[in-house]
């Protein structure tokens, strides 16, 4: 019998009246039972966070930094255990699960470092005009209030870390809602936070069902919402609370562009290997996985067989096996959706070069060519291990193809031409351009977010801290400047 995992209510463990099961998408086994907070307990958590907001904002930087450092160290100490937990509840292969733990370690460490230097203030002389003689402005940042963090299933530890760590760093209380399919990793962060000396009420981890979220979203005591998930849900949240401050990280259909100068055998081997790996890592369930390859016609015929070989070399199977590259999707329904989109594309004339088969929640790494522009897989985020290939004539056509999408999260541009890289940076309507690699690269300290329907605002520790705070100016008068 699996143990029941308590949730974290205002910094303490609690259980409700009901539980739900967390099962492995690989084999359906029970991974754990999770206690569900009642409406009264959710209200208690929100009230506690609201009540402690001023106290937490005034907490010395060293207290917040010590708590963040502690979580970072404890994640290191428990890396293997946590990686196995991620793999069990998410289906993520162990090699990627360990990497996710390592990234969360960095997120909490970066937040600790930033909290020590955050909000030192910026001074500005105002005597540039006669009316400002003797006046000096000091600008500091202050928390907007309690943060409601809504995390997705695909990075159940690290994307919870990206909600929690910046909030603690600036002294903003946070209510974290982990994804219903993968709540155990978020609850484990709560376990580590409970070992710190943060003020009571400063944080809660509440595994509530998605259909209970509108009440929390509408609560005026939660003025900041940080959401990672689908564009449909994200913009529905923003539209429902237009006076709240929302950060939305909403996904994309990442393109890898291979320009004509990237033409040596070594170049193409590197590009194909990176594309083959990062169209399939996390089962393709990453907002910046490679979904589209846009290659110059001069090298397309040489590149395609290399990409197909790299995709077919991906080892699929049991995510607990260290040799596995690609595990299952988060559910059988998710795999059926991917299957339906691929089948639609093939019926419309796309050529299937690899994969195209489903086994339960697993979907084989798949490559499609000649995909019509109006089928679903060309227009939407597939969020599965599927790659489409197209060829274009020249750089301008390549950039136009990338921009012909409602999404704009990140793009990769394989080129050695520095001028072309700068032209890509100017031309591509995305939040990030990765030169010499796939769009799937993310460093957790860099600004991360998109344009168009890929979202609003930026994650990345320092940038999320800015999103959670606002500027407040104080003017001194009568100073001898």
């Amino acid at each position: 019998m699996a143990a029941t995992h308590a949730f974290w209510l205002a910094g303490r463990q609690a259980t409700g009246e009901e539980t739900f099961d967390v099962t492995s998408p690989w084999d359906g086994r029970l991974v754990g039972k999770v206690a569900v907070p009642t409406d009264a307990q959710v209200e208690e958590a929100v009230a506690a966070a609201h009540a402690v907001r001023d106290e937490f904002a005034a907490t010395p930087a060293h207290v917040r930094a010590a708590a963040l450092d502690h979580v970072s160290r404890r994640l290191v100490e428990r890396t293997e255990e946590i990686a196995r937990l991620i793999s069990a509840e998410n289906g993520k292969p162990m090699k990627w699960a360990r990497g996710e733990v390592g990234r969360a370690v960095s997120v909490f460490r970066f937040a600790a470092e930033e909290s020590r230097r955050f909000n030192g203030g910026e001074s500005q002389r105002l005597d540039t005009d006669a009316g400002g003689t003797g006046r000096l402005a000091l600008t500091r940042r202050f928390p907007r209030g309690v943060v409601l963090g809504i995390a997705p299933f695909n990075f159940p530890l690290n994307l919870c870390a990206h909600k929690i760590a910046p909030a603690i760093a600036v002294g903003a209380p946070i209510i974290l809602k982990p994804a219903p399919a993968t709540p155990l990793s978020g609850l484990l962060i709560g376990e580590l936070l409970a070992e710190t000396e943060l003020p009571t009420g400063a944080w809660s981890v509440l595994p509530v069902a998605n259909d209970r979220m509108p009440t929390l979203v509408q609560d005026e005591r939660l003025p900041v919402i940080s959401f990672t998930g689908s564009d449909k849900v994200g913009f529905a949240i923003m539209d429902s609370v237009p006076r709240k401050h929302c950060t939305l990280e909403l996904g994309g259909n990442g393109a890898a562009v291979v320009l004509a100068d990237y033409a040596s055998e070594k170049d193409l081997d590197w590009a194909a290997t990176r594309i083959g790996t990062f169209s399939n890592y996390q089962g393709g369930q990453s907002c910046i996985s490679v979904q589209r390859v846009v290659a110059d016609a001069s090298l397309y015929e040489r590149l395609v067989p290399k990409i197909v070989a790299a995709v077919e070399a991906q080892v699929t199977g049991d995510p607990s096996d260290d040799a596995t590259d690609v595990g299952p999707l988060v559910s059988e329904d998710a795999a059926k959706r991917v299957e339906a989109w691929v089948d639609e594309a093939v019926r419309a004339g796309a050529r299937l070069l690899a994969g195209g088969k489903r086994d339960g929640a697993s979907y084989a790494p798949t490559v499609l060519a000649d995909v019509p522009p109006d089928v679903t897989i060309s227009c939407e985020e597939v969020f599965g291990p599927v790659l489409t290939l197209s060829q274009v004539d020249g750089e301008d056509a390549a950039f136009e193809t990338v921009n012909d999408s409602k999404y704009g999260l990140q793009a990769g541009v394989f080129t050695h031409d520095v001028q072309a890289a700068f032209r890509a940076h100017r031309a591509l309507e995305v939040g990030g351009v990765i030169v010499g690699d796939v769009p799937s690269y993310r460093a957790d300290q860099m600004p991360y977010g998109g344009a168009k329907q890929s979202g609003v605002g930026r994650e990345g520790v320092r940038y999320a801290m800015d999103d959670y705070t606002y500027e407040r100016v104080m003017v001194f008068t009568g100073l001898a400047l």
Side-chain angles (χ1 to χ4, degrees):
M1 180 71 69
T4 297
H5 296 260
F7 53 86
W8 295 93
L9 195 168
R12 71 177 193 280
Q13 281 190 312
T15 56
E17 298 170 354
E18 300 179 355
T19 64
F20 67 91
D21 293 344
V22 178
T23 58
S24 164
W26 168 248
D27 57 14
R29 66 184 172 87
L30 181 65
V31 179
K33 289 182 175 291
V34 175
V36 180
T38 64
D39 289 343
Q41 289 171 318
V42 172
E43 166 59 27
E44 182 181 349
V46 174
H50 182 71
V52 80
R53 67 193 189 285
D54 290 340
E55 176 190 347
F56 194 28
T59 301
H62 71 86
V63 173
R64 288 178 272 119
L68 293 162
D69 274 330
H70 174 83
V71 174
S72 182
R73 288 193 301 270
R74 294 286 283 139
L75 288 170
V76 171
E77 293 168 2
R78 298 175 64 176
T79 291
E80 192 68 13
E81 169 200 348
I82 298 170
R84 293 201 176 278
L85 180 66
I86 292 170
S87 182
E89 68 172 343
N90 173 273
K92 183 172 298 191
M94 282 296 295
K95 63 176 61 178
W96 298 114
R98 292 187 185 100
E100 181 173 350
V101 179
R103 288 181 60 189
V105 168
S106 296
V107 168
F108 279 98
R109 187 181 74 250
F110 294 153
E113 294 166 354
E114 291 291 352
S115 68
R116 291 185 174 98
R117 55 179 169 256
F118 182 71
N119 215 6
E122 178 179 327
S123 63
Q124 181 183 20
R125 292 181 68 135
L126 302 180
D127 60 355
T128 50
D129 289 313
T133 299
R135 296 180 185 266
L136 181 77
L138 177 65
T139 303
R140 297 164 63 201
R141 301 191 70 89
F142 293 85
R144 297 176 185 272
V146 183
V147 177
L148 173 60
I150 307 171
F153 69 81
N154 56 326
F155 288 86
L157 182 77
N158 195 43
L159 292 185
C160 287
H162 270 286
K163 309 300 182 190
I164 292 173
I168 293 173
V170 301
I174 181 165
I175 306 289
L176 177 76
K177 178 207 172 297
T182 57
L184 302 180
S185 300
L187 292 171
L188 190 140
I189 293 178
E191 181 181 334
L192 304 184
L193 287 172
E195 299 170 352
T196 71
E197 297 181 1
L198 294 175
T200 300
W203 58 274
S204 294
V205 182
L206 304 179
V208 298
N210 291 340
D211 60 9
R212 295 172 64 188
M213 286 311 295
T215 300
L216 275 173
V217 167
Q218 293 290 334
D219 197 308
E220 293 183 357
R221 296 168 295 178
L222 307 175
V224 180
I225 298 174
S226 178
F227 171 84
T228 302
S230 73
D231 59 319
K232 179 180 178 181
V233 175
F235 284 118
I237 289 173
M238 177 176 278
D239 290 345
S240 72
V241 286
R243 291 178 177 82
K244 290 196 176 190
H245 185 86
C246 295
T247 298
L248 308 178
E249 198 278 280
L250 304 179
N253 54 2
V257 177
V258 187
L259 295 180
D261 71 289
Y262 214 80
S264 73
E265 290 302 313
K266 181 179 179 181
D267 287 342
L268 296 183
D269 285 343
W270 165 255
T273 298
R274 298 295 284 176
I275 289 166
T277 297
F278 287 97
S279 59
N280 294 289
Y281 86 125
Q282 326 287 343
Q285 298 169 122
S286 167
C287 300
I288 46 177
S289 66
V290 186
Q291 183 170 329
R292 300 181 289 159
V293 173
V294 181
D296 193 88
S298 64
L299 50 76
Y300 181 79
E301 295 300 330
R302 295 165 55 212
L303 178 62
V304 168
K306 293 177 183 289
I307 290 176
V308 172
V311 169
E312 291 180 334
Q314 298 294 300
V315 177
T316 62
D318 186 344
S320 67
D321 187 336
D322 284 344
T324 298
D325 298 311
V326 185
L329 276 69
V330 73
S331 68
E332 186 169 357
D333 284 345
K336 287 180 177 178
R337 177 189 55 76
V338 173
E339 178 182 42
W341 289 13
V342 171
D343 290 348
E344 176 200 23
V346 171
R347 287 195 303 270
R351 291 188 295 128
L352 182 66
L353 304 184
K357 296 181 180 179
R358 180 180 67 83
D359 181 8
S362 296
Y363 196 79
T366 296
V367 181
L368 296 169
D370 304 329
V371 181
D374 57 347
V375 298
T376 307
I377 212 163
S378 293
C379 304
E380 302 293 338
E381 180 180 33
V382 66
F383 225 58
V386 180
L387 181 65
T388 67
L389 309 179
S390 63
Q391 59 180 314
V392 294
D393 290 316
E395 177 187 300
D396 290 344
F399 295 165
E400 288 172 6
T401 300
V402 174
N403 288 341
D404 186 19
S405 170
K406 66 180 181 180
Y407 297 111
L409 188 48
Q410 292 196 161
V413 180
F414 288 91
T415 182
H416 298 295
D417 186 339
V418 174
Q419 294 289 358
F422 274 89
R423 289 193 294 270
H425 198 205
R426 179 181 294 275
L428 295 177
E429 299 166 351
V430 295
V433 177
I434 314 301
V435 179
D437 207 348
V438 291
S440 316
Y441 176 79
R442 178 183 180 184
D444 292 286
Q445 71 270 38
M446 78 183 199
Y448 175 76
K452 300 188 283 190
Q453 291 191 35
S454 284
V456 177
R458 292 294 180 267
E459 289 193 339
V461 174
R462 182 64 177 81
Y463 303 91
M465 290 167 68
D466 284 345
D467 255 335
Y468 291 173
T469 56
Y470 70 99
E471 293 175 320
R472 186 187 299 167
V473 65
M474 177 170 60
V475 176
F476 290 93
T477 303
L479 298 180
L481 297 175

